[in-house]
Every structure is written in structure tokens, then in C-alpha cells.
Amino acid sequence: MRSNYLFTSESVSEGHPDKVADQISDAIVDLLLSKDREARIACETLTTTQLVVLAGEIRCKGVFENDAWVPGAKEEIEATVRRTVKEIGYEQAGFHWETFRFENNLHGQSAEIAQGVDAGDNKDEGAGDQGIMFGYATDETPDLMPATLYYSHKILERMAADRHSGAAPFLEPDAKSQVTLRYEESLPVAATAVVVSTQHKQGYCLTGDNADPAKYAELEAYVKRVVSEVIPPVLLRDTVYYINPTGAFEIGGPDGDAGVTGRKIIVDTYGGAAPHGGGAFSGKDPTKVDRSAAYITRYLAKNVVAAGLATRCTIQIAYAIGVSEPLSLYVDTHETGTIGDDVIEKAILAIPRLGGLTPRAIRTHLGLNKPIYRKTAAYGHFGRKPDGDFFPWERMDLVADLKAALA
């Protein structure tokens, strides 16, 4: 295992076109789950210049029943989409919450998928799809996340908060960040490079007809201040900054680039520091194990590290569509474990409170059949602070259970 290296992760803001699509899809998930806790949802979103398109399959009491829309439901969906875009902050000529063209192509769920997923008299509910999912945790940061991704997210979260509050009125919604750290003996010791590209008001740039060096200097100083307040000073030695390296970023969001649900799966998870099974999260109800099993594996890996059983932990789980029990469970502590990985696997499966790792057991233990997903759709699904019903997979309440199972 290499101990000295450079590693980089990126994040994108809530105004990035792909993240606009993710947030719209998850706003629809929340809307439908607020109507029907057993709703089935697979909602994809496309965003581009002055256009939002929804596509996918749903089944939801009070919204879509007997292959038909309930009166008023389509209007409520459109209102939800427009409200989501407004809250992100898009009021630009090329993408405005009030005036973009909207298409709703959602339709009923396939009966063949439904019969494999729904619980029957003689079987438990099956997984909503086949696939492999990974969870990961590391003690590099207080939230047990990879430091490169952790700082990339925090930079953009801070900038978004300042934009919404008016503290940074020159910022627009679209932005990206990237942090490169040097590791020695597997520990982060220095930030060698920080990249921030942010959409901005007219003139805060070095190139183009509107270029104003004084305004750009104000934006540059602001970004460096945010970075210095997010990344510990001990890491900011000889750091090279790249702030809007193209020179100008006035056209952004869906007007600058089309956005699609599920295209930022590495940003959503661990910044490339851990494997990814390939399935996106947003737009899916929690019967889809792409989502729920990724949450339970993060929960398990985080509790393994929190329990002191390892400093790094990766967990994989696999399912077949329509089958309730997982096909496999795999634990890898990357040679940092205090006990054998196979022992940890057995301990996880022996925890009574989990109730197993079937899709229904996961949703029951974590309380996933609730409208809690819009908040996940920007700045990562992991490493967030659990708050009431939100981000329950970030709780560290399984530590005692793990230790008891091992005892």
C-alpha cells in the first residue's frame, strides 16, 4: 500500500447543471414520498438553456394511480421543479425559474419491475435492481471522509452560503472546486493545489469585453480567504491557486452546459478515494438499492472506523433484482484493522438491531421512506451532519452493537 503520494478530489456546487438536475429529481422524490411512503420513483431530469425535462417511471397514491394522473398532480410537480430552481438562485436570461420551458414525461412503473420488487404473501420485498454498492470511511477528517473531497465540498458550501446571504454578491450559482493534497505515511500534510472556478457577475474577470482587473482581484481575494478558513493553515504551505483559470465565467449553469441526473457519482460519494458500483442516487426511491444499500454500507463502514476497529474501511454489498437477501457482503480495512476483516463481516451480520440487510430492513433501520432527499443532492451524500430524519446513515450509533457482537 502506497504511503507517499498526491491525491485530488473535486466538488461541484448546487448551481452546476448536473446538480440542478439531481436536485430537481430528488425534489420530485420528496414530493411523492410526502404523499405516499411506499411510492415508487425513478425520475430523470435534463436541463439546458431555458428548458427542464422530466422522464421516468412512478407509482404514487394521490399523484399517479391506475396509469393516470390525479387532478392537480402535474401542476404540483411543475411548481416543485420551478421552486427548486428558484431556491438554487437561477434568475438569468438563459435559465430563469419562472420562464423556462417545462416538459413532464413521467409515466407509470413497469408491472414486470413491480412484481419483482413488491412483497407478496410468500416472499419478502425484493431489491429494486441488481448491482453492487460500496461504502467507505477514513479517519482523515472529523466526518470520517477523504480530506480532498471534504475540503472541496466545504469550499463550495461556504461560497454558496455567502451568495445566498448577500455576503458575496458577485457570485452566481455555478461553481466547481478541486483540492490536491500531498500524503506522507498515508496522512495529508499539504495542499499542493486548489482550483476554484465560479460563475460571477459581469466584469469580475480578466478576459473578454467586460474584463475588470480590480473586480477580478476582489473575487480572487475572496476565494483565497474562503480557502484559508476552510483548509487548516498547516496544510496551506506553498499552495498553488487556480481561480477561474479560463479567465471568465459569466455564462454558467444549464445555459452554459446541459445537465443530467446522475452524472456526478464520484462527487456524490468519496471523491475517487473508494470504489463505486456505478449506480447514481438522485431521483430514486429507497427500494432502489443503488441508493439505500450505498447508504447502509457508508453507515456500516463509518461505525467500523468510529468503533476503532480500523482507520480505513471499505464495504461492498451486492443484490439481484427481485431478490431480498444480498448476494455478498465484503469488508476491507486496507491492512489498518485491529481484527480480521472476516471477523468484522460476521459481527455486522450478527447485529440483531439491524434486522439483516434486505432492502426492507435497510429502509426500516435508517428510516428512508421519508422526504429527506433534496438535501442530499448537492455537496455530497456522505460526510454530512445527521439532523433529525436527515442523513441517518451518518449516525455513529452502531458502535456499541459492533463491540457487543465481537464480544
Side-chain angles (χ1 to χ4, degrees):
M1 183 172 64
R2 290 186 63 188
S3 59
N4 300 319
Y5 52 90
L6 296 176
F7 194 78
T8 304
S9 295
E10 73 159 348
S11 180
V12 299
S13 74
E14 66 203 57
H16 185 280
D18 292 331
K19 279 288 136 200
V20 173
D22 283 343
Q23 288 169 93
I24 290 171
S25 290
D26 273 341
I28 299 303
V29 171
D30 283 355
L31 172 65
L32 271 55
L33 286 176
S34 71
K35 308 279 188 180
D36 177 5
R37 295 297 174 90
E38 300 299 323
R40 299 289 185 263
I41 310 142
C43 177
E44 309 295 338
T45 302
L46 165 71
T47 65
T48 187
T49 302
Q50 280 293 77
L51 176 66
V52 173
V53 180
L54 302 187
E57 303 78 43
I58 62 173
R59 186 182 75 198
C60 180
K61 294 176 183 176
V63 175
F64 195 89
E65 300 178 6
N66 301 317
D67 290 324
W69 289 96
V70 172
K74 294 181 78 172
E75 291 77 8
E76 189 171 12
I77 283 179
E78 179 173 353
T80 298
V81 172
R82 293 191 184 278
R83 182 171 62 251
T84 301
V85 174
K86 181 180 181 181
E87 289 171 354
I88 294 169
Y90 275 111
E91 296 185 340
Q92 302 168 3
F95 194 66
H96 194 294
W97 67 270
E98 200 169 25
T99 59
F100 65 70
R101 188 160 56 89
F102 176 69
E103 293 182 17
N104 180 355
N105 297 296
L106 296 171
H107 58 83
Q109 183 190 42
S110 163
E112 292 180 345
I113 292 177
Q115 71 183 5
V117 175
D118 293 345
D121 294 336
N122 300 313
K123 74 177 186 73
D124 192 5
E125 173 186 290
D129 203 351
Q130 73 172 51
I132 55 175
M133 300 83 204
F134 288 92
Y136 180 73
T138 173
D139 67 353
E140 291 178 15
T141 64
D143 291 333
L144 304 187
M145 289 290 288
T148 49
L149 182 65
Y150 177 84
Y151 295 130
S152 294
H153 282 326
K154 296 300 181 186
I155 290 168
L156 295 186
E157 284 185 280
R158 169 67 182 279
M159 291 172 62
D162 288 347
R163 175 174 60 85
H164 285 297
S165 71
F170 45 81
L171 297 180
E172 294 285 11
D174 195 359
K176 301 179 77 171
S177 64
Q178 187 170 283
V179 175
T180 299
L181 296 180
R182 185 172 75 250
Y183 286 73
E184 295 178 0
E185 301 300 322
S186 300
L187 296 174
V189 298
T192 61
V194 174
V195 183
V196 176
S197 295
T198 179
Q199 187 185 12
H200 54 80
K201 301 287 188 184
Q202 191 175 90
Y204 287 82
C205 50
L206 290 176
T207 63
D209 295 339
N210 301 318
D212 186 330
K215 286 184 176 181
Y216 173 79
E218 180 185 357
L219 184 149
E220 182 183 45
Y222 165 78
V223 171
K224 286 184 176 180
R225 185 173 71 252
V226 168
V227 171
S228 71
E229 294 173 356
V230 167
I231 299 178
V234 69
L235 297 179
L236 293 174
R237 295 172 294 169
D238 301 319
T239 303
V240 178
Y241 291 86
Y242 299 90
I243 300 172
N244 282 8
T246 63
F249 190 177
E250 292 182 0
I251 301 172
D255 187 32
D257 192 10
V260 180
T261 303
R263 284 206 298 204
K264 288 294 177 282
I265 60 177
I266 301 303
V267 171
D268 282 345
T269 52
Y270 306 104
H276 195 295
F281 303 153
S282 292
K284 299 176 182 178
D285 72 80
T287 66
K288 278 70 170 177
V289 284
D290 278 342
R291 180 163 226 161
S292 57
Y295 291 163
I296 199 71
T297 51
R298 161 63 178 175
Y299 175 67
L300 295 171
K302 187 174 185 181
N303 277 270
V304 165
V305 173
L309 304 179
T311 58
R312 291 175 60 205
C313 182
T314 299
I315 295 180
Q316 185 209 58
I317 198 167
Y319 292 89
I321 188 169
V323 179
S324 60
E325 292 292 338
L327 307 182
S328 63
L329 175 69
Y330 168 78
V331 173
D332 182 3
T333 57
H334 308 276
E335 301 178 1
T336 70
T338 60
I339 57 175
D341 294 346
D342 58 330
V343 178
I344 297 175
E345 289 171 11
K346 293 174 182 176
I348 289 171
L349 295 172
I351 296 174
R353 193 159 63 91
L354 277 177
L357 293 172
T358 66
R360 182 177 292 277
I362 292 170
R363 295 203 316 281
T364 300
H365 183 78
L366 294 179
L368 299 181
N369 279 79
K370 299 173 183 176
I372 59 174
Y373 297 106
R374 161 77 193 283
K375 286 186 176 183
T376 69
Y379 312 114
H381 292 245
F382 307 123
R384 311 289 291 274
K385 298 296 184 187
D387 179 18
D389 290 336
F390 296 96
F391 304 103
W393 49 89
E394 292 297 316
R395 297 192 303 251
M396 293 184 285
D397 58 0
L398 209 64
V399 168
D401 299 82
L402 277 168
K403 292 179 176 179
L406 289 168

